[in-house]
Amino acid sequence: MCGIAGAFGGGGALEAARRMGRGIAHRGPDGSALAALHGPDGGEAGAFAHARLAVIDPTAAGDQPMATEDGRYTLVFNGAIYNYRALRDGLRAAGDRFRGGSDTEVLLLGLARHGPAFLERLRGMFALALWDRERGEGLLARDRCGIKPLYLADAAGRLVFASELRAVLASGWTGRVLCPGATASYLAAGSVEEPRTAVRGVGALPPGTWARFRVRGGAASLDAPREYAGPLPGAAGEGERDPARAARRVREALRDSVEHHLVADVPVGFFLSGGIDSSAVAALAAEVRGGAVDTFTVVFDEREFSEAPVAAAVARRLGARHHEIPLAGEGLLAALPDAFGAMDQPSMDGLNTYVVSRAVRESGLKVVLSGLGGDELFAGYPSFRRARALARLPRWTGPLRRAAASAAGRLEGARAEKGALLLRDPDPALAAYRASRTLFGPRAVRALAGRDADPAGARPPAGLPLLQRVSWHETAGYMRDTLLRDSDVFSMAHGLELRVPFVDPATAAAAAAADDRLKLGRGSKPLLVAAVADLLPREVWDRPKQGFTLPFAAWLRGALHDEVAGAFAAGPWDRVGVDGAAARGVWSAFRAGRVGWSRPWALYTLLRWARHNGVEAE
């Protein structure tokens, strides 16, 4: 995993790329490089910058930007291709020669030979840029799940792109104006919905797409993205009803995914929360590798939030080298300046990833596996049960539900607004998702930001069963826009590669192949439990689900109180497009116990992020 950046068209592309290279240096502590790129006439077309975290073939043979022997193609790439060895064998059989053993070289020669069609063969996470000197054209692409980000700005004949929004801003080719609607989007969900970003004029290349760009007469232009792969797969119609067969298929797929995600030429560690997802990944890895693994758990003084005893039990069962990372409110307060310095876009989540990633990197590891994605695929969130409950309501209740939604929408308070969301949409999957993931309801967003959130409104493919539709919303929304984005930026802030074996097409296909009735039952995620329970202590899976979260409510009334209260009082809220009186009302409501911690924390985060990055509303 690394950081990439590029600038094309106009004058000064090399200097713009150099500035962006400095902006992504933290992502690649093992080396950095800059390459000027030329067109067919020999004139300057643009430049690539790269920062390297050496994981696969850490020798100089894996350095980037990487060019073919004839110099025609040049590649920068961020991520990891887990099936690169099989792909290399195929390319060798076709006549390609390799100078090293990296997945980067496989990607370079595969794209040179097959073009964008090669993207469909990749199993991994990636964002890449390929330049073809002979044609004066380039290719941008991103993995199908959006694990790796790629931000770009295309205007006035100039194109810039990078692994982080802040690097795009560092180019000097864009402004620092808050995107119209970004504040409302953030307030609605706790993160800015793709393809929009927090900054006007900068967008995200959609997952599973590629886009061609070219330079003609010194000016760059970008084509519309083309899709090469959809989101994680689903299956229409009834699925496998036999519990043993379904569990066996999940076990085999997840084990295969974990084995692929262990591909590295450096040691690999594991986040271990004590829940079934991260425990399953660590247990299967121990089974595949046949040796001790390193596991890492954040522990709190607030015992009701800590899963430390369960995580320790898992580590003992696996014979792991277990590392506990203590975190208190005072420690988070001390870490806030660096954490907000690492935050690429405003997010109410993710600081836990920042803290544990720092500890893992300080231990000397470069790669860590996470259980992210298990809840989305195996019905671990409340949204799945809510959707099933809504679907069981008789059809004649539709008019009553809509009337109740209208009445609830006129009431004050967060619960009333969420109740309105739950009842309003006729699709139980979307209604349950929105009720679960909405931070500020529509009326609260209008009061704070003066406009509606304007969601993208994408819908899952037709024919998917109910729980798969919920899964589609969770993976294409909350997972992509919050969890994966935060995991990338907060792990890479410490030069740590974070891998997610659940976010894998084969694992998703195995989950989708099971009938909905196998995914909900007694306890949390019964299908996943059936697949891996024999590997784990009983206390991991035979207990109520406990989501991993920091004890913010206690900290906002304790160690963080003065810092956050001062920010609410001082603002300036108009610089982030928020009504100051409405914002202070949220803080007062929290102190009075009328709303939870997430609302004031999200507002504080927006203000702090904008101030740190010099971004203001117009």
Side-chain angles (χ1 to χ4, degrees), residues 116-444:
F118 192 65
L119 298 171
E120 300 173 22
R121 306 184 189 183
L122 304 179
R123 185 176 186 179
M125 54 182 185
F126 60 86
L128 64 86
L130 179 77
W131 177 248
D132 181 348
R133 183 185 64 189
E134 185 174 296
R135 292 181 177 272
E137 295 180 350
L139 175 75
L140 302 175
R142 189 177 175 200
D143 69 73
R144 68 181 298 177
C145 300
I147 303 172
K148 292 292 99 187
L150 189 60
Y151 300 107
L152 52 89
D154 172 35
R158 300 197 296 188
L159 170 68
V160 289
F161 53 84
S163 298
E164 295 187 8
L165 173 64
R166 294 171 301 163
V168 172
L169 299 182
S171 70
W173 284 12
T174 66
R176 292 178 180 262
V177 178
L178 199 63
C179 170
T183 296
S185 175
Y186 170 76
L187 294 174
S191 62
V192 180
E193 184 183 27
E194 288 192 359
R196 173 192 285 139
T197 74
V199 176
R200 186 173 67 185
V202 184
L205 186 71
T209 69
W210 61 271
R212 187 84 67 187
F213 68 93
R214 55 188 54 82
V215 179
R216 300 286 186 269
S221 60
L222 178 70
D223 292 347
R226 303 183 188 183
E227 185 177 279
Y228 70 86
L232 288 173
E238 292 186 354
E240 175 62 65
R241 293 188 180 186
D242 183 86
R245 284 198 296 265
R248 185 166 55 249
R249 179 172 180 175
V250 168
R251 171 75 162 260
E252 291 171 354
L254 184 57
R255 188 183 191 277
D256 178 71
S257 180
V258 168
E259 185 171 11
H260 276 83
H261 282 72
L262 289 172
V263 171
D265 294 324
V266 297
V268 178
F270 301 86
F271 287 166
L272 189 61
S273 69
I276 184 69
D277 304 333
S278 61
S279 298
V281 169
L284 288 169
E287 183 180 78
V288 167
R289 296 175 62 171
V293 297
D294 285 277
T295 54
F296 297 82
T297 300
V298 176
V299 299
F300 311 110
D301 293 335
E302 294 82 0
R303 292 183 178 273
E304 67 271 25
F305 289 90
S306 182
E307 293 185 278
V310 181
V314 174
R316 285 193 300 271
R317 173 74 173 266
L318 303 181
R321 294 178 292 268
H322 191 50
H323 311 263
E324 291 191 340
I325 306 159
L327 180 63
E330 293 81 2
L332 182 62
L333 180 62
L336 280 182
D338 290 340
F340 278 104
M343 187 178 288
D344 194 42
Q345 292 200 69
S347 173
M348 62 161 286
D349 208 345
L351 290 188
N352 55 325
T353 304
Y354 177 87
V355 172
V356 70
S357 295
R358 179 177 61 187
V360 172
R361 193 65 176 95
E362 288 173 351
S363 76
L365 295 178
K366 290 184 177 180
V367 181
V368 66
L369 269 60
S370 162
L372 191 160
D375 284 322
E376 288 79 1
L377 296 183
F378 293 96
Y381 291 130
S383 53
F384 291 90
R385 294 186 183 275
R386 289 171 178 166
R388 186 175 65 175
L390 284 174
R392 288 175 172 174
L393 291 175
R395 289 181 180 272
W396 59 264
T397 62
L400 293 178
R401 288 204 342 260
R402 288 191 291 273
S406 178
R410 292 192 293 270
L411 297 176
E412 297 292 335
R415 289 186 178 180
E417 283 211 319
K418 291 213 171 189
L421 289 169
L422 193 63
L423 296 169
R424 182 176 296 136
D425 199 292
D427 177 5
L430 181 58
Y433 172 74
R434 286 180 172 169
S436 297
R437 295 300 170 200
T438 295
L439 177 63
F440 287 97
R443 188 168 60 180

Side-chain angles (χ1 to χ4, degrees), residues 467-549:
L467 297 189
Q468 287 190 48
R469 297 204 307 275
V470 180
S471 181
W472 189 93
H473 288 297
E474 292 284 3
T475 55
Y478 177 61
M479 187 181 81
R480 181 197 66 189
D481 293 339
T482 301
L483 296 182
L484 290 175
R485 185 186 300 167
D486 288 347
S487 293
D488 172 80
V489 72
F490 285 127
S491 62
M492 290 308 299
H494 305 290
L496 179 72
E497 177 168 305
L498 191 152
R499 297 179 175 181
V500 284
F502 278 104
V503 189
D504 174 81
T507 307
D515 189 89
D516 272 4
R517 283 165 284 194
L518 300 181
K519 297 175 185 177
L520 289 178
R522 178 182 175 272
S524 177
K525 290 172 280 192
L527 175 58
L528 180 59
V529 168
V532 299
D534 62 300
L535 300 174
L536 301 169
R538 187 180 186 92
E539 56 261 48
V540 174
W541 48 268
D542 191 13
R543 65 189 179 103
K545 174 179 170 58
Q546 180 177 346
F548 181 72
T549 184

